[in-house]
Amino acid sequence: MPTFVLAYSGGLDTSVILAWLQVHHGATVVTVTADLGQQRELDGVEQKALACGAAQVHVDDLREEFVTDYVWPSLKAGALYQGTYPLASALGRPLIAKRLVEVAREIGADAIVHGCTGKGNDQVRLEVSAAALAPELRTIAPLREWDLHSREDEIAWAAEHGIPIAATAEAPYSIDENLWGLAVEAGVLEDPWTSPPADAWQLTTDPAAAPATPEAVTISFEAGIPVAVDTVPLDGPALIQHLNATAGAHGVGRIDMVEDRLVGIKSRELYEAPAAVTLHTAREALEQLTLDRETRRLKAGLGQELARLVYDGLWFTPLRASINAFVDQASEPVTGDVRLEFCRGTVRVVGRRSPCSLYQHDLATYGPGDAFNHKSAAGFIDLFGREARTAAQRTTTPSNVLGGVA
Ligand code: ARG
């Protein structure tokens, strides 16, 4: 009898998979549910797993590890996929894969199993991550194999086999959530011209219904990592949770985008990521003050590269680790405070300060005490523009040189 480790959410798909593995493969199934801060899903997950025949149930609080090892490195790098998506789901998958592999090795399992569909990114992220960590382990993806093609098929199969599935009303959307953000897709959102209905948003206040008075918040960073809000030190999960609530109450963090999936299709997605949007905005403001121009330029490019790697499921790779090493070094001076204001769906930077600031008032000022040497600018411009003048003065171009020879 084979033993499988199943990534279990407690939803319909993974509950039916849990039973199906026992019926179809005669397997002993151990479930793993990673608590990444997705509060609304975790209630009763253990009882559901046991009711569907799990031989062993793990519900593991991985929030601290998630924030420290996955979220903070991507925040530091400024990783936003296609310039916009803060990567919540994408950052969760390598950690879930790591936990599946750990449990599989502990119990000597034959394979790991997930409930991802065959047209999404998450299957790629889980399987590439698991393969990088444990090349010997097999992966099974029932949704790609079985003949249950709809929710109705799954419910009918469960009824036929006496599997206790709570008969919940059909959900209008597909939702994936963790501390760093919530993704909403499918249903009426599949028409990219349709405005998101009010019920599509799960955790943020409608900006139109949010307070008209701005709320100020000060976020403190140490070496690129947020450590306190309004001078109160908070650990990673608490800090993110706090900002999700406060920024979310002002309607901050709503994203409506069409993104390019790794499997070659465009999809329309809503994200709610109040803390992520706020923290990326604050970090950027502090980098403007503390990093030199050339470091900022290279770091911004590598941040985009990192976002692509994370999105594509390539977390456990040498390139990802190398980019994070660069980002760690570059972020050393990113220490200080950023003051922001939330108001009706927006977050605005209104102040920044740092002991590592490169901003020099006597060089910047147009007022009294100006220490900038205006005269030296003339020589600078003469040399800086040298190449451009030479090129502009050239009368013979490569094409008419070649033309003349031929
Ligand atoms: N499109 C997003 C991504 O690829 C969100 C995926 C959400 N997953 C889900 N099972 N609904 O990262």
Side-chain angles (χ1 to χ4, degrees):
M1 202 155 87
T3 304
F4 295 154
V5 176
L6 168 66
Y8 184 68
S9 75
L12 177 67
D13 287 338
T14 53
S15 294
V16 174
I17 289 173
L18 170 47
W20 182 84
L21 293 169
Q22 298 164 67
V23 172
H24 203 264
H25 288 269
T28 299
V29 187
V30 171
T31 62
V32 172
T33 304
D35 176 2
L36 303 182
Q38 70 281 30
Q39 260 145 2
R40 65 200 67 211
E41 251 186 19
L42 289 173
D43 284 349
V45 75
E46 181 171 358
Q47 291 80 337
K48 284 188 203 168
L50 292 171
C52 293
Q56 212 186 88
V57 177
H58 296 257
V59 181
D60 300 322
D61 180 357
L62 305 180
R63 288 174 300 169
E64 183 73 49
E65 183 178 1
F66 179 50
V67 174
T68 304
D69 294 350
Y70 299 82
V71 173
W72 286 165
S74 87
L75 170 67
K76 267 180 158 178
L80 296 168
Y81 180 63
Q82 298 192 320
T84 310
Y85 165 41
L87 294 161
S89 300
L91 286 163
R93 295 308 186 272
L95 175 55
I96 294 169
K98 175 171 174 267
R99 188 65 196 131
L100 291 170
V101 164
E102 282 164 7
V103 173
R105 285 194 167 150
E106 268 161 40
I107 64 173
D110 302 279
I112 58 178
V113 188
H114 64 73
C116 303
T117 75
K119 62 195 286 185
N121 298 313
D122 289 327
Q123 54 176 346
V124 182
R125 297 168 182 154
L126 280 175
E127 292 183 39
V128 170
S129 298
L133 295 171
E136 77 283 1
L137 264 179
R138 235 176 8 115
T139 309
I140 301 174
L143 260 61
R144 297 198 301 240
E145 304 177 3
W146 68 17
D147 298 326
L148 309 177
H149 297 302
S150 67
R151 191 185 151 77
E152 289 68 34
D153 287 356
E154 290 183 20
I155 291 171
W157 187 92
E160 226 172 276
H161 292 83
I163 311 301
I165 304 283
T168 49
E170 177 160 16
Y173 311 105
S174 160
I175 294 175
D176 186 57
E177 183 189 10
N178 62 44
L179 266 175
W180 199 230
L182 183 150
V184 188
E185 55 191 22
V188 296
L189 301 173
E190 286 175 0
D191 178 353
W193 181 243
T194 298
S195 298
D199 75 346
W201 303 107
Q202 311 296 313
L203 38 99
T204 51
T205 303
D206 181 346
T213 325
E215 181 178 347
V217 63
T218 299
I219 301 174
S220 307
F221 286 81
E222 273 171 24
I225 292 177
V227 294
V229 176
D230 293 329
T231 73
V232 179
L234 293 170
D235 67 25
L239 189 142
I240 292 171
Q241 215 168 355
H242 176 75
L243 288 177
N244 276 336
T246 49
H250 288 274
V252 170
R254 292 188 170 190
I255 296 166
D256 179 345
M257 72 185 285
V258 172
E259 76 190 30
D260 291 291
R261 283 195 196 162
L262 179 53
V263 293
I265 55 180
K266 288 194 182 290
S267 80
R268 197 269 188 97
E269 309 269 340
L270 303 186
Y271 297 108
E272 292 181 277
V277 167
T278 301
L279 290 170
H280 273 291
T281 304
R283 175 203 45 76
E284 174 64 27
L286 198 53
E287 290 185 5
Q288 290 171 1
L289 193 68
T290 55
L291 299 187
D292 60 277
R293 186 168 84 142
E294 292 309 307
T295 302
R296 287 185 65 196
R297 191 179 56 76
L298 185 62
K299 183 174 174 296
L302 289 176
Q304 283 180 23
E305 197 58 32
L306 182 76
R308 197 181 57 80
L309 294 175
V310 170
Y311 191 85
D312 289 0
L314 298 173
W315 184 267
F316 295 111
T317 59
L319 180 55
R320 197 279 309 161
S322 303
I323 291 175
N324 279 140
F326 170 88
V327 168
D328 283 348
Q329 167 86 37
S331 299
E332 274 176 14
V334 185
T335 293
D337 304 321
V338 181
R339 197 170 68 253
L340 308 122
E341 280 181 11
F342 302 132
C343 191
R344 297 225 155 139
T346 62
V347 52
R348 273 187 323 126
V349 175
V350 293
R352 66 293 269 160
R353 65 180 175 195
S354 168
C356 311
S357 175
L358 296 175
Y359 182 89
Q360 282 190 261
H361 184 267
D362 62 349
L363 292 179
T365 185
Y366 286 102
D370 183 1
F372 188 85
N373 183 350
H374 292 244
K375 292 210 174 72
S376 67
F380 167 73
I381 293 165
D382 182 48
L383 293 186
F384 182 69
R386 181 63 271 170
E387 252 193 320
R389 292 201 305 281
T390 303
Q393 284 159 357
R394 176 169 56 197
T395 51
T396 310
T397 65
S399 59
N400 66 31
V401 169
L402 289 176
V405 169

